[in-house]
Amino acid sequence: MELTIKNLLLQELARRQTRNSAYSLRAFARDLGIGVTSLSDVLADKRNLSKTNLAKVMERLAVSPVEKDRLWENYKQNASRAQDLDEKTLLEEDIFRLISDWYYLAVLNLTKVHGFEGRADWIAARLGIKLEEAEEALVRLERLELVKKTRGQYVRTKKQLTTSRDIPSSAIRKHHSQNLVLAEQSLHRDPVEYREFGSVTVSVNPEKLPLAKELLLKTRKKIVDLLDNGATSEVYTLSFQLFPLTRLQILTEDKND
């Protein structure tokens, strides 16, 4: 097997898990002295270890002088070949995750609630997500300069949440799909006084849809301004769902042409 840092890490992780089946990726990252998100991304071929982290890993794993030289050479080749691409790809990945995975925006809004604690474990507990997901979200949000670490805790920056590039439609679809799942979970979990679900089925004049969508957008803004006023303690998602039950005639006609 080719000697690469990824292969070395996978071999060592497998060896430790053979000795202890409960040994986790988080524990491995802790023992290596690097972040679990960095380790996970390296194993998933999403990025390379930084120079500092590579030195830590080689020291903790006690690699031989020959292996160390080969790993450094591999690092230099990868760094010179992919530096610009990695930065661009990493930014695109961060923005994709920000839009597609529901808990990124939830973390950002959680910073505004009363009693917020900028620690991954506290955030994970409040949102009901895994600790690794909270840690990964904080790392990405920090790279996007939407949060920063101050005195050991994360706080939100004053940077406005905007994206100057096109958002992939797949990210938007994933975002809405996750919200539908979360809504179903809330329907069965949360007391009725803390949620609102309603629907109405009507016949529709498609020519009026643009006006209806504009009205929904204005109403959404008014509700957000109302709820996001004063001392906040919870994070909610507000969803309007307007969609056809009939198979759209225009699509049927296109197929028949």
Side-chain angles (χ1 to χ4, degrees), residues 26-60:
R26 178 174 173 77
F28 192 32
R30 177 202 63 211
D31 294 342
L32 292 173
I34 64 177
V36 66
T37 302
S38 296
L39 177 59
S40 176
D41 283 353
V42 169
L43 297 181
D45 287 324
K46 292 182 178 179
R47 69 163 114 168
N48 298 315
L49 278 179
S50 67
K51 186 177 181 179
T52 300
N53 281 341
L54 177 57
K56 283 184 183 179
V57 168
M58 291 193 295
E59 178 67 24
R60 297 290 176 94

PDB file of all heavy atoms in Angstrom, residues 26-60:
ATOM      1  N   ARG A  26     -13.368  10.580  17.114  1.00  0.00           N
ATOM      2  CA  ARG A  26     -13.132  11.725  18.011  1.00  0.00           C
ATOM      3  C   ARG A  26     -11.986  11.441  18.978  1.00  0.00           C
ATOM      4  O   ARG A  26     -11.134  12.298  19.208  1.00  0.00           O
ATOM      5  CB  ARG A  26     -14.412  12.047  18.772  1.00  0.00           C
ATOM      6  CG  ARG A  26     -14.263  13.182  19.772  1.00  0.00           C
ATOM      7  CD  ARG A  26     -15.606  13.562  20.387  1.00  0.00           C
ATOM      8  NE  ARG A  26     -15.426  14.522  21.444  1.00  0.00           N
ATOM      9  CZ  ARG A  26     -15.186  15.813  21.245  1.00  0.00           C
ATOM     10  NH1 ARG A  26     -15.131  16.288  20.021  1.00  0.00           N
ATOM     11  NH2 ARG A  26     -15.013  16.641  22.253  1.00  0.00           N
ATOM     12  N   ALA A  27     -11.960  10.218  19.517  1.00  0.00           N
ATOM     13  CA  ALA A  27     -10.879   9.844  20.418  1.00  0.00           C
ATOM     14  C   ALA A  27      -9.540   9.814  19.679  1.00  0.00           C
ATOM     15  O   ALA A  27      -8.503  10.224  20.215  1.00  0.00           O
ATOM     16  CB  ALA A  27     -11.168   8.481  21.040  1.00  0.00           C
ATOM     17  N   PHE A  28      -9.561   9.345  18.435  1.00  0.00           N
ATOM     18  CA  PHE A  28      -8.356   9.299  17.622  1.00  0.00           C
ATOM     19  C   PHE A  28      -7.821  10.709  17.376  1.00  0.00           C
ATOM     20  O   PHE A  28      -6.613  10.965  17.502  1.00  0.00           O
ATOM     21  CB  PHE A  28      -8.670   8.595  16.310  1.00  0.00           C
ATOM     22  CG  PHE A  28      -7.466   8.226  15.483  1.00  0.00           C
ATOM     23  CD1 PHE A  28      -6.260   7.889  16.071  1.00  0.00           C
ATOM     24  CD2 PHE A  28      -7.557   8.197  14.093  1.00  0.00           C
ATOM     25  CE1 PHE A  28      -5.159   7.529  15.299  1.00  0.00           C
ATOM     26  CE2 PHE A  28      -6.459   7.845  13.316  1.00  0.00           C
ATOM     27  CZ  PHE A  28      -5.266   7.516  13.924  1.00  0.00           C
ATOM     28  N   ALA A  29      -8.723  11.626  17.029  1.00  0.00           N
ATOM     29  CA  ALA A  29      -8.310  13.020  16.805  1.00  0.00           C
ATOM     30  C   ALA A  29      -7.721  13.619  18.074  1.00  0.00           C
ATOM     31  O   ALA A  29      -6.711  14.336  18.032  1.00  0.00           O
ATOM     32  CB  ALA A  29      -9.514  13.837  16.339  1.00  0.00           C
ATOM     33  N   ARG A  30      -8.343  13.326  19.203  1.00  0.00           N
ATOM     34  CA  ARG A  30      -7.837  13.823  20.490  1.00  0.00           C
ATOM     35  C   ARG A  30      -6.429  13.312  20.754  1.00  0.00           C
ATOM     36  O   ARG A  30      -5.530  14.068  21.148  1.00  0.00           O
ATOM     37  CB  ARG A  30      -8.777  13.375  21.607  1.00  0.00           C
ATOM     38  CG  ARG A  30      -8.342  13.763  23.027  1.00  0.00           C
ATOM     39  CD  ARG A  30      -9.002  12.863  24.042  1.00  0.00           C
ATOM     40  NE  ARG A  30      -8.585  11.471  23.856  1.00  0.00           N
ATOM     41  CZ  ARG A  30      -9.342  10.422  24.137  1.00  0.00           C
ATOM     42  NH1 ARG A  30     -10.576  10.575  24.586  1.00  0.00           N
ATOM     43  NH2 ARG A  30      -8.875   9.194  23.947  1.00  0.00           N
ATOM     44  N   ASP A  31      -6.202  12.023  20.526  1.00  0.00           N
ATOM     45  CA  ASP A  31      -4.897  11.434  20.787  1.00  0.00           C
ATOM     46  C   ASP A  31      -3.835  11.945  19.816  1.00  0.00           C
ATOM     47  O   ASP A  31      -2.649  11.964  20.149  1.00  0.00           O
ATOM     48  CB  ASP A  31      -4.992   9.908  20.701  1.00  0.00           C
ATOM     49  CG  ASP A  31      -5.862   9.324  21.808  1.00  0.00           C
ATOM     50  OD1 ASP A  31      -6.095  10.033  22.813  1.00  0.00           O
ATOM     51  OD2 ASP A  31      -6.318   8.171  21.670  1.00  0.00           O
ATOM     52  N   LEU A  32      -4.275  12.338  18.623  1.00  0.00           N
ATOM     53  CA  LEU A  32      -3.332  12.886  17.638  1.00  0.00           C
ATOM     54  C   LEU A  32      -3.056  14.370  17.870  1.00  0.00           C
ATOM     55  O   LEU A  32      -2.109  14.924  17.309  1.00  0.00           O
ATOM     56  CB  LEU A  32      -3.874  12.684  16.223  1.00  0.00           C
ATOM     57  CG  LEU A  32      -3.958  11.248  15.710  1.00  0.00           C
ATOM     58  CD1 LEU A  32      -4.671  11.209  14.367  1.00  0.00           C
ATOM     59  CD2 LEU A  32      -2.574  10.626  15.592  1.00  0.00           C
ATOM     60  N   GLY A  33      -3.924  15.030  18.650  1.00  0.00           N
ATOM     61  CA  GLY A  33      -3.750  16.448  18.921  1.00  0.00           C
ATOM     62  C   GLY A  33      -4.247  17.345  17.811  1.00  0.00           C
ATOM     63  O   GLY A  33      -3.790  18.483  17.670  1.00  0.00           O
ATOM     64  N   ILE A  34      -5.209  16.844  17.005  1.00  0.00           N
ATOM     65  CA  ILE A  34      -5.768  17.651  15.916  1.00  0.00           C
ATOM     66  C   ILE A  34      -7.289  17.656  16.038  1.00  0.00           C
ATOM     67  O   ILE A  34      -7.878  16.878  16.787  1.00  0.00           O
ATOM     68  CB  ILE A  34      -5.348  17.119  14.525  1.00  0.00           C
ATOM     69  CG1 ILE A  34      -5.926  15.712  14.277  1.00  0.00           C
ATOM     70  CG2 ILE A  34      -3.828  17.108  14.398  1.00  0.00           C
ATOM     71  CD1 ILE A  34      -5.613  15.167  12.898  1.00  0.00           C
ATOM     72  N   GLY A  35      -7.938  18.530  15.296  1.00  0.00           N
ATOM     73  CA  GLY A  35      -9.387  18.634  15.341  1.00  0.00           C
ATOM     74  C   GLY A  35     -10.056  17.457  14.647  1.00  0.00           C
ATOM     75  O   GLY A  35      -9.545  16.936  13.646  1.00  0.00           O
ATOM     76  N   VAL A  36     -11.204  17.046  15.179  1.00  0.00           N
ATOM     77  CA  VAL A  36     -11.905  15.903  14.593  1.00  0.00           C
ATOM     78  C   VAL A  36     -12.400  16.220  13.187  1.00  0.00           C
ATOM     79  O   VAL A  36     -12.439  15.337  12.317  1.00  0.00           O
ATOM     80  CB  VAL A  36     -13.079  15.466  15.504  1.00  0.00           C
ATOM     81  CG1 VAL A  36     -14.144  16.537  15.577  1.00  0.00           C
ATOM     82  CG2 VAL A  36     -13.682  14.159  15.020  1.00  0.00           C
ATOM     83  N   THR A  37     -12.759  17.489  12.923  1.00  0.00           N
ATOM     84  CA  THR A  37     -13.204  17.867  11.584  1.00  0.00           C
ATOM     85  C   THR A  37     -12.069  17.747  10.573  1.00  0.00           C
ATOM     86  O   THR A  37     -12.256  17.249   9.461  1.00  0.00           O
ATOM     87  CB  THR A  37     -13.757  19.289  11.579  1.00  0.00           C
ATOM     88  OG1 THR A  37     -14.834  19.387  12.513  1.00  0.00           O
ATOM     89  CG2 THR A  37     -14.266  19.674  10.201  1.00  0.00           C
ATOM     90  N   SER A  38     -10.877  18.195  10.969  1.00  0.00           N
ATOM     91  CA  SER A  38      -9.708  18.077  10.090  1.00  0.00           C
ATOM     92  C   SER A  38      -9.414  16.619   9.782  1.00  0.00           C
ATOM     93  O   SER A  38      -9.169  16.240   8.626  1.00  0.00           O
ATOM     94  CB  SER A  38      -8.483  18.729  10.740  1.00  0.00           C
ATOM     95  OG  SER A  38      -8.671  20.115  10.903  1.00  0.00           O
ATOM     96  N   LEU A  39      -9.462  15.791  10.811  1.00  0.00           N
ATOM     97  CA  LEU A  39      -9.196  14.369  10.624  1.00  0.00           C
ATOM     98  C   LEU A  39     -10.239  13.731   9.711  1.00  0.00           C
ATOM     99  O   LEU A  39      -9.905  12.973   8.791  1.00  0.00           O
ATOM    100  CB  LEU A  39      -9.173  13.666  11.980  1.00  0.00           C
ATOM    101  CG  LEU A  39      -8.974  12.138  11.952  1.00  0.00           C
ATOM    102  CD1 LEU A  39      -7.664  11.778  11.264  1.00  0.00           C
ATOM    103  CD2 LEU A  39      -9.023  11.575  13.364  1.00  0.00           C
ATOM    104  N   SER A  40     -11.495  14.042   9.958  1.00  0.00           N
ATOM    105  CA  SER A  40     -12.581  13.478   9.142  1.00  0.00           C
ATOM    106  C   SER A  40     -12.439  13.892   7.690  1.00  0.00           C
ATOM    107  O   SER A  40     -12.637  13.074   6.777  1.00  0.00           O
ATOM    108  CB  SER A  40     -13.932  13.936   9.702  1.00  0.00           C
ATOM    109  OG  SER A  40     -14.985  13.480   8.898  1.00  0.00           O
ATOM    110  N   ASP A  41     -12.110  15.160   7.451  1.00  0.00           N
ATOM    111  CA  ASP A  41     -11.965  15.650   6.079  1.00  0.00           C
ATOM    112  C   ASP A  41     -10.794  14.986   5.354  1.00  0.00           C
ATOM    113  O   ASP A  41     -10.868  14.711   4.153  1.00  0.00           O
ATOM    114  CB  ASP A  41     -11.782  17.166   6.075  1.00  0.00           C
ATOM    115  CG  ASP A  41     -13.082  17.912   6.306  1.00  0.00           C
ATOM    116  OD1 ASP A  41     -14.138  17.259   6.341  1.00  0.00           O
ATOM    117  OD2 ASP A  41     -13.048  19.144   6.474  1.00  0.00           O
ATOM    118  N   VAL A  42      -9.705  14.736   6.065  1.00  0.00           N
ATOM    119  CA  VAL A  42      -8.549  14.071   5.453  1.00  0.00           C
ATOM    120  C   VAL A  42      -8.914  12.642   5.050  1.00  0.00           C
ATOM    121  O   VAL A  42      -8.600  12.186   3.941  1.00  0.00           O
ATOM    122  CB  VAL A  42      -7.346  14.063   6.423  1.00  0.00           C
ATOM    123  CG1 VAL A  42      -6.242  13.145   5.909  1.00  0.00           C
ATOM    124  CG2 VAL A  42      -6.802  15.474   6.594  1.00  0.00           C
ATOM    125  N   LEU A  43      -9.597  11.933   5.915  1.00  0.00           N
ATOM    126  CA  LEU A  43      -9.976  10.557   5.634  1.00  0.00           C
ATOM    127  C   LEU A  43     -11.010  10.469   4.515  1.00  0.00           C
ATOM    128  O   LEU A  43     -11.123   9.439   3.842  1.00  0.00           O
ATOM    129  CB  LEU A  43     -10.514   9.878   6.895  1.00  0.00           C
ATOM    130  CG  LEU A  43      -9.521   9.737   8.052  1.00  0.00           C
ATOM    131  CD1 LEU A  43     -10.160   9.017   9.233  1.00  0.00           C
ATOM    132  CD2 LEU A  43      -8.264   8.999   7.600  1.00  0.00           C
ATOM    133  N   ALA A  44     -11.766  11.572   4.320  1.00  0.00           N
ATOM    134  CA  ALA A  44     -12.777  11.602   3.260  1.00  0.00           C
ATOM    135  C   ALA A  44     -12.250  12.246   1.977  1.00  0.00           C
ATOM    136  O   ALA A  44     -13.020  12.504   1.050  1.00  0.00           O
ATOM    137  CB  ALA A  44     -14.018  12.348   3.746  1.00  0.00           C
ATOM    138  N   ASP A  45     -10.935  12.544   1.937  1.00  0.00           N
ATOM    139  CA  ASP A  45     -10.300  13.162   0.768  1.00  0.00           C
ATOM    140  C   ASP A  45     -10.857  14.551   0.464  1.00  0.00           C
ATOM    141  O   ASP A  45     -10.869  14.991  -0.695  1.00  0.00           O
ATOM    142  CB  ASP A  45     -10.444  12.279  -0.481  1.00  0.00           C
ATOM    143  CG  ASP A  45      -9.552  11.048  -0.418  1.00  0.00           C
ATOM    144  OD1 ASP A  45      -8.432  11.167   0.110  1.00  0.00           O
ATOM    145  OD2 ASP A  45      -9.976   9.984  -0.889  1.00  0.00           O
ATOM    146  N   LYS A  46     -11.313  15.264   1.496  1.00  0.00           N
ATOM    147  CA  LYS A  46     -11.831  16.605   1.298  1.00  0.00           C
ATOM    148  C   LYS A  46     -10.750  17.674   1.438  1.00  0.00           C
ATOM    149  O   LYS A  46     -10.917  18.789   0.968  1.00  0.00           O
ATOM    150  CB  LYS A  46     -12.963  16.891   2.293  1.00  0.00           C
ATOM    151  CG  LYS A  46     -14.230  16.074   2.044  1.00  0.00           C
ATOM    152  CD  LYS A  46     -15.317  16.449   3.034  1.00  0.00           C
ATOM    153  CE  LYS A  46     -16.593  15.668   2.764  1.00  0.00           C
ATOM    154  NZ  LYS A  46     -17.658  16.015   3.741  1.00  0.00           N
ATOM    155  N   ARG A  47      -9.676  17.335   2.135  1.00  0.00           N
ATOM    156  CA  ARG A  47      -8.565  18.285   2.278  1.00  0.00           C
ATOM    157  C   ARG A  47      -7.318  17.545   2.745  1.00  0.00           C
ATOM    158  O   ARG A  47      -7.375  16.369   3.106  1.00  0.00           O
ATOM    159  CB  ARG A  47      -8.930  19.391   3.260  1.00  0.00           C
ATOM    160  CG  ARG A  47      -9.036  18.920   4.699  1.00  0.00           C
ATOM    161  CD  ARG A  47      -8.989  20.089   5.659  1.00  0.00           C
ATOM    162  NE  ARG A  47     -10.237  20.260   6.364  1.00  0.00           N
ATOM    163  CZ  ARG A  47     -10.381  21.054   7.414  1.00  0.00           C
ATOM    164  NH1 ARG A  47      -9.381  21.750   7.845  1.00  0.00           N
ATOM    165  NH2 ARG A  47     -11.540  21.164   8.028  1.00  0.00           N
ATOM    166  N   ASN A  48      -6.196  18.262   2.757  1.00  0.00           N
ATOM    167  CA  ASN A  48      -4.951  17.714   3.267  1.00  0.00           C
ATOM    168  C   ASN A  48      -4.685  18.272   4.661  1.00  0.00           C
ATOM    169  O   ASN A  48      -5.207  19.333   5.027  1.00  0.00           O
ATOM    170  CB  ASN A  48      -3.779  18.076   2.345  1.00  0.00           C
ATOM    171  CG  ASN A  48      -3.952  17.505   0.953  1.00  0.00           C
ATOM    172  OD1 ASN A  48      -4.316  16.341   0.792  1.00  0.00           O
ATOM    173  ND2 ASN A  48      -3.693  18.321  -0.060  1.00  0.00           N
ATOM    174  N   LEU A  49      -3.893  17.559   5.427  1.00  0.00           N
ATOM    175  CA  LEU A  49      -3.491  18.081   6.728  1.00  0.00           C
ATOM    176  C   LEU A  49      -2.623  19.321   6.546  1.00  0.00           C
ATOM    177  O   LEU A  49      -1.859  19.426   5.586  1.00  0.00           O
ATOM    178  CB  LEU A  49      -2.693  17.032   7.501  1.00  0.00           C
ATOM    179  CG  LEU A  49      -3.465  15.949   8.258  1.00  0.00           C
ATOM    180  CD1 LEU A  49      -2.478  15.009   8.940  1.00  0.00           C
ATOM    181  CD2 LEU A  49      -4.413  16.547   9.275  1.00  0.00           C
ATOM    182  N   SER A  50      -2.744  20.254   7.466  1.00  0.00           N
ATOM    183  CA  SER A  50      -1.856  21.410   7.449  1.00  0.00           C
ATOM    184  C   SER A  50      -0.449  20.965   7.837  1.00  0.00           C
ATOM    185  O   SER A  50      -0.243  19.861   8.365  1.00  0.00           O
ATOM    186  CB  SER A  50      -2.352  22.465   8.442  1.00  0.00           C
ATOM    187  OG  SER A  50      -2.223  21.995   9.775  1.00  0.00           O
ATOM    188  N   LYS A  51       0.509  21.818   7.583  1.00  0.00           N
ATOM    189  CA  LYS A  51       1.906  21.501   7.906  1.00  0.00           C
ATOM    190  C   LYS A  51       2.068  21.230   9.394  1.00  0.00           C
ATOM    191  O   LYS A  51       2.754  20.275   9.797  1.00  0.00           O
ATOM    192  CB  LYS A  51       2.803  22.660   7.464  1.00  0.00           C
ATOM    193  CG  LYS A  51       4.296  22.397   7.622  1.00  0.00           C
ATOM    194  CD  LYS A  51       5.085  23.576   7.078  1.00  0.00           C
ATOM    195  CE  LYS A  51       6.580  23.310   7.197  1.00  0.00           C
ATOM    196  NZ  LYS A  51       7.379  24.455   6.647  1.00  0.00           N
ATOM    197  N   THR A  52       1.418  22.046  10.213  1.00  0.00           N
ATOM    198  CA  THR A  52       1.510  21.883  11.661  1.00  0.00           C
ATOM    199  C   THR A  52       0.891  20.568  12.112  1.00  0.00           C
ATOM    200  O   THR A  52       1.471  19.835  12.925  1.00  0.00           O
ATOM    201  CB  THR A  52       0.804  23.051  12.386  1.00  0.00           C
ATOM    202  OG1 THR A  52       1.428  24.278  12.001  1.00  0.00           O
ATOM    203  CG2 THR A  52       0.898  22.896  13.893  1.00  0.00           C
ATOM    204  N   ASN A  53      -0.295  20.260  11.593  1.00  0.00           N
ATOM    205  CA  ASN A  53      -0.967  19.030  11.993  1.00  0.00           C
ATOM    206  C   ASN A  53      -0.243  17.787  11.490  1.00  0.00           C
ATOM    207  O   ASN A  53      -0.233  16.750  12.156  1.00  0.00           O
ATOM    208  CB  ASN A  53      -2.413  19.021  11.499  1.00  0.00           C
ATOM    209  CG  ASN A  53      -3.322  19.859  12.371  1.00  0.00           C
ATOM    210  OD1 ASN A  53      -2.992  20.159  13.522  1.00  0.00           O
ATOM    211  ND2 ASN A  53      -4.462  20.252  11.835  1.00  0.00           N
ATOM    212  N   LEU A  54       0.350  17.888  10.305  1.00  0.00           N
ATOM    213  CA  LEU A  54       1.118  16.753   9.782  1.00  0.00           C
ATOM    214  C   LEU A  54       2.303  16.453  10.702  1.00  0.00           C
ATOM    215  O   LEU A  54       2.584  15.286  11.006  1.00  0.00           O
ATOM    216  CB  LEU A  54       1.616  17.050   8.367  1.00  0.00           C
ATOM    217  CG  LEU A  54       2.493  15.965   7.724  1.00  0.00           C
ATOM    218  CD1 LEU A  54       1.750  14.626   7.674  1.00  0.00           C
ATOM    219  CD2 LEU A  54       2.931  16.396   6.327  1.00  0.00           C
ATOM    220  N   ALA A  55       2.978  17.504  11.169  1.00  0.00           N
ATOM    221  CA  ALA A  55       4.103  17.319  12.092  1.00  0.00           C
ATOM    222  C   ALA A  55       3.630  16.676  13.397  1.00  0.00           C
ATOM    223  O   ALA A  55       4.303  15.777  13.941  1.00  0.00           O
ATOM    224  CB  ALA A  55       4.777  18.660  12.376  1.00  0.00           C
ATOM    225  N   LYS A  56       2.463  17.097  13.891  1.00  0.00           N
ATOM    226  CA  LYS A  56       1.901  16.515  15.113  1.00  0.00           C
ATOM    227  C   LYS A  56       1.621  15.030  14.927  1.00  0.00           C
ATOM    228  O   LYS A  56       1.959  14.202  15.779  1.00  0.00           O
ATOM    229  CB  LYS A  56       0.600  17.226  15.494  1.00  0.00           C
ATOM    230  CG  LYS A  56       0.751  18.575  16.129  1.00  0.00           C
ATOM    231  CD  LYS A  56      -0.632  19.089  16.522  1.00  0.00           C
ATOM    232  CE  LYS A  56      -0.550  20.489  17.110  1.00  0.00           C
ATOM    233  NZ  LYS A  56      -1.901  20.991  17.470  1.00  0.00           N
ATOM    234  N   VAL A  57       0.990  14.694  13.815  1.00  0.00           N
ATOM    235  CA  VAL A  57       0.606  13.312  13.558  1.00  0.00           C
ATOM    236  C   VAL A  57       1.840  12.416  13.460  1.00  0.00           C
ATOM    237  O   VAL A  57       1.885  11.319  14.049  1.00  0.00           O
ATOM    238  CB  VAL A  57      -0.238  13.207  12.273  1.00  0.00           C
ATOM    239  CG1 VAL A  57      -0.399  11.754  11.843  1.00  0.00           C
ATOM    240  CG2 VAL A  57      -1.607  13.834  12.498  1.00  0.00           C
ATOM    241  N   MET A  58       2.834  12.870  12.737  1.00  0.00           N
ATOM    242  CA  MET A  58       4.045  12.058  12.587  1.00  0.00           C
ATOM    243  C   MET A  58       4.739  11.864  13.920  1.00  0.00           C
ATOM    244  O   MET A  58       5.287  10.792  14.201  1.00  0.00           O
ATOM    245  CB  MET A  58       4.982  12.695  11.551  1.00  0.00           C
ATOM    246  CG  MET A  58       4.446  12.635  10.124  1.00  0.00           C
ATOM    247  SD  MET A  58       5.670  13.041   8.862  1.00  0.00           S
ATOM    248  CE  MET A  58       6.004  14.764   9.245  1.00  0.00           C
ATOM    249  N   GLU A  59       4.698  12.877  14.752  1.00  0.00           N
ATOM    250  CA  GLU A  59       5.307  12.776  16.081  1.00  0.00           C
ATOM    251  C   GLU A  59       4.532  11.800  16.958  1.00  0.00           C
ATOM    252  O   GLU A  59       5.114  10.929  17.617  1.00  0.00           O
ATOM    253  CB  GLU A  59       5.349  14.154  16.736  1.00  0.00           C
ATOM    254  CG  GLU A  59       5.927  14.163  18.143  1.00  0.00           C
ATOM    255  CD  GLU A  59       7.402  13.831  18.188  1.00  0.00           C
ATOM    256  OE1 GLU A  59       8.091  14.034  17.162  1.00  0.00           O
ATOM    257  OE2 GLU A  59       7.868  13.370  19.250  1.00  0.00           O
ATOM    258  N   ARG A  60       3.185  11.913  16.959  1.00  0.00           N
ATOM    259  CA  ARG A  60       2.355  11.054  17.806  1.00  0.00           C
ATOM    260  C   ARG A  60       2.396   9.596  17.354  1.00  0.00           C
ATOM    261  O   ARG A  60       2.302   8.688  18.176  1.00  0.00           O
ATOM    262  CB  ARG A  60       0.898  11.550  17.794  1.00  0.00           C
ATOM    263  CG  ARG A  60       0.712  12.957  18.365  1.00  0.00           C
ATOM    264  CD  ARG A  60       0.920  13.011  19.860  1.00  0.00           C
ATOM    265  NE  ARG A  60       0.834  14.370  20.369  1.00  0.00           N
ATOM    266  CZ  ARG A  60      -0.276  14.918  20.865  1.00  0.00           C
ATOM    267  NH1 ARG A  60      -1.400  14.216  20.884  1.00  0.00           N
ATOM    268  NH2 ARG A  60      -0.265  16.146  21.325  1.00  0.00           N
TER     269      ARG A  60
END
